[in-house]
């Protein structure tokens, strides 16, 4: 077996050194009644060729987003990742290292984390960022828990523009912690309605920009209203490339900024692994969840980096920890940092502009389709449109024509009564021809549908 | 000055008790890197957690030795936690508590009793 | 003769070498931060122009101030991160004996197949008809996990072990609530991973510790005394964090169930028993499986992980959404509380879990097969016991009697009087080319040294490791009367990229990001 170095002779010799007759003597503490006599009923081991063949068979039953036009977004975006990113993250020293518990021999990982934290703090316009969370949705939920701790209040107001999966994830965690979540009605301009829902019991307000409908909002006034009521403002972003063009959460008064970082450095991967960004104002550092890397010096005075402020964390504070998170998204954060370093400020801004320009082209094309109403008015690279039919059905029909036409809002939030709303995103990977094709096929599909009806 | 078995010290002035952790405790904790002091106005019962003293690898609760209301907290400590190691029984006082029942202080150990207690550890 | 004199001396000069002029040491480069290296207008990507006014529709939504992010060209980027990489230890370099962390070989086939566009380039919200292979893979993975654990259901979406713990406790809470049963306490042994009490608290429970017996197991009498009608669950790691199998696990389950509570098992150490014992046969109700441990998806310097949770029949209805369903119409993800998932305990994250890890773990499972996975457990346990046998005459094991499972635990009583601490000993290992073992965990053992070799070490590497530790142990013992020997440990490491770091300063005056110096920035020429 190719991954197991011990030979039969090795095993026999080692059992001799241990002083037992056979391997079963080492499993003597397991209940005899539960000990399996032989392998369970699953296939036996296979060679690399056979395994690769089976995985390739499964992969072939999926239609890659890049194999044709794709307009799927809603929290996961197909961007171009430079080849060098994937090369570096596959280096043994990054790929096969553990959490940097021994800083003397983990400076590579630690310096990357310090760079990552600095980049995330800059992008979000916040003071401090942590070393990553699992993804944007769990970062959002943790931010709400943190706000409840900081304010000692137990109510979170969630905008109707918040990604429904984020709202659901937050609700799951909040309900068991005794924190009530008030989710406002889903609509394109939902952020505008948040202020009216803030009261003296509100721990935090969670808004998203660009929101699930693609709408971009200046949340400065919401920050002011939240702060006036003693609540914190949490700003969620699911498309990190938008930071290159839009006002940052920090500029608009956010107390906590969380985001999905997948867009930078990471592929779609059917939803994971991704990388959650989590950044706060200085005064909240000790209430943050997750690992933090800090600068210090070694015994010779040389600069170095260590994990720090660990007394917040589960391995020290146990049931009083700020979170139960241990493993995070280290390698995805590395990919983020490398891609960000390649882009630089100039590249990121240019990338963001291209994304936006594509979206303007998409908007113009959709506005030319009879019966389609573009709902989003201020957007980055994503639009919500109202179709004259069920959006889920439309997406299935379009998929039959090898066009991934976007995400029906109802898939995320079936009860909202927005069955005719379709979410479409574009990125730099979207070709103008893809948009043109969509604009040509969509009317035919709608007409055909009308015909069927 | 009076002492608890949890290594807090108490110095009573009128009805206000100044509270900190002992030199012994500071030595056991090692380098103190952060102190979370209580909020002014907080009502405490003897035995309640009132502050947290942190080293790099541990966070230790400091318990209120007496019941009462917090009337002052040492605001310098969060910024200069090393004070706990340098001057634990004076400069690194943690909080002042307006004591409800002074007899609670008298019930604590005096220094010889505390030192004898330390010998048993 | 012809005299070929071009060349160089082929023996090193024996004279002492002066220190290098720069901060570099041979091939080990001193590498600044990207913020000290990059240029503000520099970039390593070539992107098309979009023309002026591309964002004029956004008005004052556009950021006014610069972000403050430097860029690098591609060759500079490669060099920067490759130089940084060389400051890391890695499983591909040498044995990485972190107990409880399971640093085993990461097969590269798994990396290759995870990058097939059919897995890496599919969107989580594509029509399900366009991702049948992906959902089928999730279904196959689920089948393997259920078969290997003997449990009827599995929730795939948790993103790491601690997230899996949360998943399990939420299902337990939902199961109690469905019966109108309100319970408030969770019992956790003192030896548990910190995530266990943290998760229980996160899930709204108060935590009470269970005592340990002198032989390193759960104290049944203490467990029985603490169980009661308000106990929702116990969380027990098995094999436990002392590397021992809980011999009384069946009785633990019986007592727990008799009290109306559920048995959550922390499955971080499932790699020790995979293919040998099924948790479902032990009375366990929920257990997370760290795919990044037992099934070897790479740790990547701290993540990502994946923590699917297997569930008993009693808890299965309360698995969080999404659910994977397979019927005559194909494979389907049930994404809301509907149909079979009507009692689901709530969404744990956006989308469907760590697909990239599922692909790698499934490839690992197929490669090993049922026979190979059984061999994995046997070799992991054999290797740990071999280390224990080879070191126990010099180093003290707190639980010397009987075999250990996949990790060998030592304490620091053998170092008493030497002046050498567990930390010193661990740091000295670095100078010998090994990553230290897990230190000071579990908390129930003083100065703990927890060594987990895993099954992917050869006997030669194990012997090299044991020989090195034996040499160090003898030196440590000699330090009792030898100040120089002691100094070697106190100074260690001296051969690593950095010496010991000042963690006190890091915590007292936190510097958590780079900030520009007051002087002009040392930017690269642009």
């Amino acid at each position: 077996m190719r991954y197991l170095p011990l030979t039969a002779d090795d095993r026999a010799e080692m059992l001799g050194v241990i002083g037992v007759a056979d391997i079963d003597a080492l499993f003597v503490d397991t209940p005899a009644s539960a000990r399996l006599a032989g392998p369970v009923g699953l296939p036996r081991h296979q060679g690399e060729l056979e395994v690769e063949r089976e995985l390739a068979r499964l992969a072939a039953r999926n239609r890659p987003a890049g194999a044709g036009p794709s307009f799927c977004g809603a929290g996961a975006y197909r961007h171009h990742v430079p080849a060098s990113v994937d090369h570096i993250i596959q280096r043994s020293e990054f790929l096969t290292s553990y959490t940097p518990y021994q800083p003397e021999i983990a400076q590579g990982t630690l310096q990357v984390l310090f760079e990552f934290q600095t980049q995330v703090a800059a992008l979000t316009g916040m003071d401090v960022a942590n070393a990553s969370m699992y993804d944007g949705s769990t970062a959002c939920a943790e931010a709400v828990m943190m706000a409840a701790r900081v304010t000692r209040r137990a109510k979170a107001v969630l905008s109707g523009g918040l990604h429904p999966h984020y709202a659901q994830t937050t609700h799951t965690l909040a309900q068991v912690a005794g924190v009530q979540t008030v989710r406002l009605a889903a609509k394109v301009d939902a952020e505008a309605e948040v202020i009216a829902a803030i009261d003296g019991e509100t721990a935090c307000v969670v808004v998203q920009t660009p929101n699930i409908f693609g709408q971009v909002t200046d949340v400065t006034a919401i920050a002011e209203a939240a702060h006036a009521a003693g609540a914190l403002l949490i700003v969620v972003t699911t498309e990190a490339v938008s930071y290159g063009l839009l006002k940052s959460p920090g500029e608009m008064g956010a107390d906590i900024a969380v985001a999905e970082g997948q867009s930078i450095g990471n592929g779609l991967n059917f939803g994971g692994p991704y990388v959650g960004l989590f950044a706060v104002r200085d005064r909240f550092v000790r209430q943050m969840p997750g690992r933090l890397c800090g600068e210090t010096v070694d015994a010779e005075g040389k600069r170095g980096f260590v994990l720090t402020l660990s007394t917040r964390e589960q391995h020290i504070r146990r049931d009083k920890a700020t979170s139960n998170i241990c493993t995070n998204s280290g390698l995805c954060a590395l990919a983020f940092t490398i891609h960000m370093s390649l882009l630089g400020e100039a590249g990121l801004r240019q990338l963001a502009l291209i994304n936006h320009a594509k979206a303007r082209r998409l908007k113009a094309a959709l506005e030319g389709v009879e019966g389609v109403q573009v709902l989003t008015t201020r957007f980055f690279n994503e639009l919500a449109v109202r179709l004259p039919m069920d959006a889920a059905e439309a997406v299935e029909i379009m998929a039959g024509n090898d066009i991934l036409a976007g995400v029906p809002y109802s898939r995320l939030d079936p009860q909202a009564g927005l069955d005719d709303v379709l979410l479409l995103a574009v990125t730099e990977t979207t070709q103008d021809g893809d948009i043109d094709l969509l604009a040509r096929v969509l009317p035919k599909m709608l007409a055909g549908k009308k015909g069927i009806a | 000055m009076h002492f608890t078995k949890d290594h807090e010290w108490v110095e009573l002035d009128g009805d206000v008790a100044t509270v900190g952790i002992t030199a012994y405790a500071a030595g056991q904790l090692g380098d103190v890197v952060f102190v979370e002091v209580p909020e002014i106005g907080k009502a405490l019962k003897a035995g309640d957690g009132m502050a947290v003293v942190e080293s790099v690898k541990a966070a230790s609760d400091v318990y209120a030795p007496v019941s009462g209301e917090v009337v002052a907290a040492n605001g310098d400590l969060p910024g200069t936690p090393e004070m706990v190691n340098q001057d634990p029984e004076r400069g690194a006082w943690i909080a002042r508590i307006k004591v409800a029942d002074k007899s609670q202080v008298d019930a604590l150990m005096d220094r010889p009793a505390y030192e004898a207690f330390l010998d048993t550890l | 003769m012809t005299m070929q004199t071009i060349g160089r001396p082929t023996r090193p000069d024996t004279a002492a070498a002066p220190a290098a002029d720069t901060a570099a040491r041979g091939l080990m480069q001193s590498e600044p931060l990207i913020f000290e290296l990059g240029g503000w207008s520099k970039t390593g990507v070539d992107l098309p122009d979009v023309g002026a006014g591309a964002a004029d529709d956004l008005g004052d939504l556009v950021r006014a101030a610069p972000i403050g992010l430097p860029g690098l060209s591609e060759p500079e980027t490669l060099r920067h991160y490759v130089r940084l990489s060389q400051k890391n230890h890695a499983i591909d370099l040498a044995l990485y004996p972190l107990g409880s962390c399971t640093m085993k070989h990461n097969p590269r086939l798994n990396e290759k197949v995870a990058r097939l566009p059919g897995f890496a380039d599919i969107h989580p919200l594509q029509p399900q008809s366009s991702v049948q292979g992906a959902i089928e893979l999730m279904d196959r993975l689920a089948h393997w996990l259920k078969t290997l654990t003997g449990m009827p259901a599995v929730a795939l979406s948790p993103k790491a072990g601690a997230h899996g713990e949360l998943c399990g406790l939420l299902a337990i809470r939902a199961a109690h609530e469905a019966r109108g049963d309100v319970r408030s306490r969770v019992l956790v042994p003192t030896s548990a991973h910190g995530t266990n009490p943290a998760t229980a608290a996160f899930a709204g429970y108060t935590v009470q510790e269970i005592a340990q017996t002198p032989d390193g197991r759960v104290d049944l009498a203490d467990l029985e005394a603490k169980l009661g009608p308000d106990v929702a669950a116990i969380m027990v790691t098995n094999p436990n964090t002392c590397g021992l199998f809980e011999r009384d696990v069946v009785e633990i389950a019986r007592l727990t169930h008799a009290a109306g509570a559920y048995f959550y098992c922390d499955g971080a150490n499932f790699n020790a028993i995979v293919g040998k014992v099924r948790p479902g046969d032990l009375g366990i109700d929920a257990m997370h499986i760290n795919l990044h441990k037992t099934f070897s998806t790479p740790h990547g310097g701290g993540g990502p992980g994946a923590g699917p949770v297997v569930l008993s029949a009693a808890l299965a209805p309360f698995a969080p959404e999404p659910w994977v369903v397979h019927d005559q119409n194909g494979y389907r993800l049930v994404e809301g509380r509907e149909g079979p998932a009507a009692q689901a305990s709530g969404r744990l994250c956006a989308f469907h879990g760590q697909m990239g890890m599922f692909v790698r773990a499934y490839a690992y499972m197929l490669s090993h097969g049922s026979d190979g996975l059984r061999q994995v457990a046997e070799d992991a346990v054999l290797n740990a016991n071999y280390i224990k046998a080879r070191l126990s005459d010099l180093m003290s094991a707190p639980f010397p009697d009987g075999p250990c499972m996949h990790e060998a635990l030592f304490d620091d009583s053998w170092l008493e009087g030497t002046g050498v601490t567990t930390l010193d000993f661990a740091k000295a290992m670095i100078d010998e080319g090994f990553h230290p073992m897990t230190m000071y965990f579990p908390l129930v053992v003083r100065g703990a040294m927890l060594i987990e070799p895993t099954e992917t070490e050869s006997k030669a590497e194990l012997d090299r490791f044991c020989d090195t530790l034996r040499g160090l142990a003898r030196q440590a013992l000699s330090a009792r009367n030898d100040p120089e020997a002691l100094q070697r440990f106190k100074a260690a490491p001296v051969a690593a990229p950095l010496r010991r770091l000042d963690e006190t300063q890091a915590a007292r005056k936190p510097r958590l990001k780079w900030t520009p110096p007051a002087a002009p920035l040392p930017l690269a020429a642009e």
Side-chain angles (χ1 to χ4, degrees):
Chain A
M1 209 158 303
R2 62 189 179 277
Y3 302 135
L4 300 176
L6 295 186
T7 65
D9 287 348
D10 289 336
R11 293 184 183 114
E13 191 185 336
M14 291 163 72
L15 287 169
V17 171
I18 296 164
V20 293
D22 56 31
I23 189 71
D24 285 338
L26 300 179
F27 285 85
V28 67
D29 287 335
T30 62
S33 60
R35 237 172 276 158
L36 298 169
V40 294
L42 289 165
R44 295 173 66 83
H45 71 275
Q46 297 179 51
E48 189 164 319
L49 175 63
E50 289 73 29
V51 175
E52 188 170 345
R53 199 173 274 154
E54 170 63 5
L55 272 293
R57 178 189 74 80
L58 290 166
R61 298 193 59 212
N62 305 317
R63 192 279 211 183
S70 170
F71 298 89
C72 295
Y77 303 88
R78 182 172 190 273
H79 288 284
H80 173 74
V81 178
S84 48
V85 173
D86 196 44
H87 172 79
I88 296 169
I89 71 166
Q90 287 200 72
R91 276 192 70 92
S92 295
E93 301 91 331
F94 285 131
L95 186 76
T96 76
S97 60
Y98 199 71
T99 306
Y101 289 140
Q102 298 289 340
E104 299 87 350
I105 45 173
Q107 284 299 303
T109 295
L110 285 160
Q111 184 166 332
V112 166
L113 291 179
F114 193 76
E115 293 185 354
F116 173 78
Q117 289 175 186
T118 307
Q119 288 173 341
V120 172
L123 287 166
T124 55
M126 305 297 287
D127 297 324
V128 187
N130 76 8
S132 80
M133 306 297 284
Y134 306 134
D135 72 358
S137 67
T138 62
C140 175
E142 294 256 16
V144 168
M145 294 300 101
M146 179 184 143
R149 271 197 310 277
V150 167
T151 59
R152 294 183 196 153
R153 294 179 182 180
K155 186 169 108 178
V157 174
L158 313 183
S159 154
L162 179 63
H163 192 301
H165 281 182
Y166 286 42
Q168 292 158 21
T169 302
T170 301
H171 177 72
T172 301
L173 197 53
Q175 61 169 356
V176 295
V179 175
Q180 182 199 358
T181 51
V182 179
R183 189 173 162 217
L184 305 179
K187 57 199 291 189
V188 173
D189 229 347
E191 270 57 37
E193 314 217 332
V194 164
I195 290 179
I198 302 172
D199 63 22
E201 262 116 62
T202 307
C204 61
V205 183
V206 184
V207 296
Q208 181 177 327
T209 181
N211 73 12
I212 187 65
F213 301 103
Q215 189 80 345
V216 177
T217 306
D218 187 330
V219 298
T220 307
I222 303 172
E224 286 161 7
H227 296 157
L232 305 189
L233 177 67
I234 298 169
V235 177
V236 177
T237 304
T238 59
E239 170 49 293
V241 171
S242 70
Y243 287 138
L245 183 60
L246 302 175
K247 263 188 195 166
S248 70
E251 267 181 279
M252 297 186 286
D255 298 287
I256 307 174
V258 295
E260 175 52 68
Q262 171 267 329
S263 281
I264 299 177
N266 290 276
L268 289 171
N269 290 314
F270 201 46
Y274 288 176
V275 51
L277 314 184
F278 197 107
V280 302
R281 300 283 178 199
D282 257 336
R283 63 182 178 280
F284 301 130
V285 166
R286 288 175 187 278
Q287 292 295 334
M288 277 181 112
R291 296 182 186 131
L292 283 166
C293 170
E295 182 185 323
T296 187
V297 292
D298 79 349
E300 292 173 3
K302 286 188 189 152
R303 177 170 70 182
F305 304 93
V306 293
L307 293 180
T308 192
L309 302 186
S310 306
T311 48
R312 300 164 298 110
E313 293 180 69
Q314 47 77 27
H315 60 280
I316 292 180
R317 204 59 145 252
R318 299 177 81 84
D319 56 328
K320 288 180 186 158
T322 55
S323 167
N324 69 338
I325 190 170
C326 180
T327 288
N328 58 17
S329 295
L331 200 69
C332 304
L334 171 67
F336 179 101
T337 297
I338 299 164
H339 191 187
M340 200 57 247
S341 300
L342 280 165
L343 286 167
E345 180 144 355
L348 179 66
R349 187 176 166 80
Q350 187 66 13
L351 182 64
L353 280 171
I354 293 168
N355 273 257
H356 183 61
K358 294 276 184 195
R360 289 178 80 167
R361 187 183 176 97
L362 175 68
K363 181 162 184 266
L366 291 170
E367 280 171 345
V369 179
E370 197 190 325
V372 173
Q373 183 194 357
V374 177
L375 303 173
T376 313
T377 54
R378 306 177 305 271
F379 55 90
F380 173 63
N381 68 350
E382 192 155 20
L383 298 170
V385 301
R386 175 158 282 136
L387 300 179
M389 65 180 290
D390 184 276
E393 198 185 340
V395 163
E396 284 296 338
I397 298 170
M398 294 293 277
N401 290 290
D402 204 32
I403 297 172
L404 302 180
V407 177
Y409 181 80
S410 62
R411 180 163 176 189
L412 302 170
D413 190 5
Q415 268 83 51
L418 298 175
D419 294 353
D420 53 357
V421 172
L422 178 66
L423 311 175
L424 302 96
V426 287
T427 71
E428 74 285 357
T429 66
T430 311
Q431 302 188 53
D432 290 349
D434 298 343
I435 295 172
D436 297 345
L437 183 67
L438 177 74
R440 275 203 311 278
V441 175
L442 199 53
K444 284 186 198 160
M445 191 268 294
L446 294 174
K449 176 70 192 163
K450 233 179 276 168
I452 295 163
Chain B
M1 197 175 268
H2 287 75
F3 301 87
T4 70
K5 288 191 174 178
D6 296 315
H7 310 290
E8 291 97 8
W9 57 262
V10 186
E11 182 128 54
L12 196 62
D13 180 10
D15 61 353
V16 174
T18 302
V19 180
I21 67 166
T22 66
Y24 171 81
Q28 290 291 307
L29 292 175
D31 289 345
V32 171
V33 298
F34 184 68
V35 182
E36 186 185 309
V37 298
E39 282 174 40
I40 292 169
K42 187 173 185 182
L44 294 167
K45 286 205 302 285
D48 284 353
M50 67 166 220
V52 181
V53 177
E54 295 184 7
S55 63
V56 169
K57 303 284 183 201
S60 308
D61 289 318
V62 179
Y63 303 109
V66 291
S67 303
E69 183 192 328
V70 177
V71 292
N74 189 344
D76 294 339
L77 280 186
T80 53
E82 55 273 24
M83 288 272 285
V84 176
N85 296 111
Q86 292 160 0
D87 189 13
E89 297 189 6
R90 216 177 43 152
W93 64 276
I94 292 171
R96 298 208 163 96
I97 300 172
K98 189 168 180 199
V99 180
D101 174 7
K102 286 195 219 176
S103 70
Q104 282 187 330
V105 178
D106 298 332
L108 301 174
M109 290 178 277
D110 60 11
R111 189 174 289 277
Y114 178 63
E115 278 167 6
F117 166 69
L118 289 183
D119 287 339
T120 68
L121 297 180
Chain C
M1 65 179 293
T2 51
M3 289 272 287
Q4 176 52 278
T5 58
I6 300 169
R8 55 187 172 83
T10 53
R11 280 185 188 182
D13 188 341
T14 50
D21 290 345
T22 66
R25 288 181 199 175
L27 293 179
M28 185 63 67
Q29 306 284 341
S30 169
E31 186 65 8
L33 289 158
I34 173 145
F35 308 95
E36 297 154 339
L37 204 60
W40 301 111
S41 62
K42 207 165 182 171
T43 180
V45 296
D46 292 313
L47 295 168
D49 281 331
V50 284
D56 56 7
D57 58 316
L58 286 169
D60 62 3
L61 292 166
V62 172
R63 69 157 75 230
I67 306 170
L69 291 171
L72 291 173
S73 65
E74 181 172 308
E76 291 169 296
T77 305
L78 258 295
R79 210 165 262 175
H80 177 64
Y81 290 105
V82 169
R83 285 175 177 177
L84 289 185
S85 76
Q86 294 187 326
K87 298 171 197 289
N88 271 1
H89 185 80
I91 187 65
D92 287 348
L93 282 171
L95 194 147
Y96 207 142
L98 277 176
S100 211
C101 302
T102 314
M103 290 300 286
K104 60 167 79 170
H105 171 64
N106 301 136
R108 291 314 193 277
L109 169 66
N110 305 352
E111 294 305 306
K112 183 181 180 187
V113 294
R115 284 168 170 80
L116 293 171
F119 297 127
D121 191 28
I122 50 175
H123 191 282
L125 300 173
Q126 281 182 217
Q128 295 195 15
S129 57
S130 72
V131 286
Q132 283 293 297
I135 308 174
E136 181 181 345
L137 185 143
M138 293 169 75
D139 187 68
R140 298 313 303 156
L141 178 79
H143 175 70
W144 278 71
L145 292 174
K146 288 186 286 190
T147 306
L148 288 167
T149 57
M151 305 279 274
V154 60
L156 292 177
S157 68
K159 294 204 158 240
H163 208 216
E165 293 172 26
L166 184 65
C167 170
L169 288 196
L170 292 178
I172 286 168
R173 178 179 274 275
H176 284 305
E177 283 174 359
R179 288 197 304 265
D181 194 352
V182 179
R183 293 177 176 239
S184 59
R185 270 192 302 149
V186 167
L187 305 181
V188 181
T190 316
S191 60
H193 296 111
T195 49
N196 292 178
T199 302
F202 227 45
Y205 292 108
T206 55
V207 179
Q208 195 171 10
E209 292 197 341
I210 315 170
Q212 179 171 290
T213 57
D215 70 346
R217 270 94 170 175
V218 167
D219 184 328
L220 283 183
D222 192 54
L223 170 67
E224 199 165 2
K226 283 173 181 161
L227 280 167
D230 62 333
V231 171
I234 61 163
M235 298 180 85
V236 174
T237 307
N238 194 24
N240 69 24
T241 61
C242 297
L244 304 171
F245 195 89
E246 293 287 350
R247 281 188 293 251
D248 298 321
V249 60
V250 174
E251 180 64 5
I252 291 171
R254 193 190 66 77
L255 290 171
T256 302
H257 293 151
Y262 290 102
F263 185 170
Y264 186 90
C265 180
D266 180 329
N269 297 334
F270 183 55
N271 55 309
I273 56 169
V274 60
K276 297 288 287 183
V277 178
R278 301 186 306 172
D281 296 334
L282 305 174
I284 285 160
D285 294 295
M287 181 182 87
H288 73 261
I289 298 163
N290 305 80
L291 295 186
H292 51 294
K293 294 182 180 177
T294 302
F295 299 107
S296 184
T297 67
H299 289 68
V309 176
V310 287
L311 298 165
S312 64
L315 295 180
F318 307 102
E321 61 264 32
W323 284 31
V324 179
V325 176
H326 179 206
D327 56 27
Q328 67 276 17
N329 299 322
Y331 296 90
R332 191 160 60 89
L333 290 166
V334 180
E335 296 173 287
R337 285 182 197 172
E338 55 179 282
Q343 287 181 285
S345 57
R347 181 169 280 281
L348 285 173
C349 58
F351 313 128
H352 331 299
Q354 307 283 62
M355 183 66 182
M357 303 295 112
F358 299 162
V359 178
R360 290 170 175 87
Y362 187 52
Y364 178 91
M365 289 173 174
L366 289 184
S367 293
H368 282 81
S370 56
D371 51 336
L373 290 171
R374 190 175 159 87
Q375 191 70 53
V376 160
E378 290 183 356
D379 284 359
V381 170
L382 178 65
N383 284 355
N385 278 283
Y386 182 69
I387 287 177
K388 188 179 174 197
R390 283 216 52 201
L391 299 180
S392 284
D393 59 323
L394 286 171
M395 297 164 62
S396 49
F399 309 112
D401 301 331
C404 60
M405 296 302 287
H406 62 299
E407 50 198 0
L409 177 62
F410 297 93
D411 62 19
D412 66 358
S413 57
W414 65 282
L415 286 169
E416 195 139 347
T418 63
V420 178
T421 65
T422 290
L423 179 74
D424 300 330
F425 189 74
K427 296 299 184 193
M429 287 170 67
I430 294 175
D431 284 331
E432 304 296 338
F434 285 106
H435 194 284
M437 64 288 272
T438 292
M439 340 173 270
Y440 300 103
F441 180 86
L443 307 176
V444 289
V445 170
R446 217 193 61 174
M449 306 181 200
L450 187 62
I451 301 174
E452 177 174 6
T454 81
E455 74 282 3
T456 60
E457 295 304 329
S458 67
K459 180 169 177 297
E461 180 78 350
L462 291 172
D463 281 331
R464 195 172 76 87
F465 177 76
C466 290
D467 292 345
T468 302
L469 257 62
R470 291 185 67 82
L472 281 176
R474 283 199 197 90
Q475 283 184 54
L477 292 169
S478 77
R480 192 173 278 126
N481 315 306
D482 180 355
E484 263 180 48
L486 180 60
Q487 189 48 34
R488 188 239 149 122
F489 287 93
K490 293 296 174 192
V494 294
L498 288 181
R499 304 282 303 278
R500 282 192 213 185
L501 288 117
D502 187 343
E503 296 183 69
T504 297
Q505 179 185 317
R508 276 184 180 165
K509 305 274 183 272
R511 287 174 60 92
L512 305 174
K513 66 174 180 182
W514 178 83
T515 46
L521 293 172
L523 292 185
E526 288 169 16

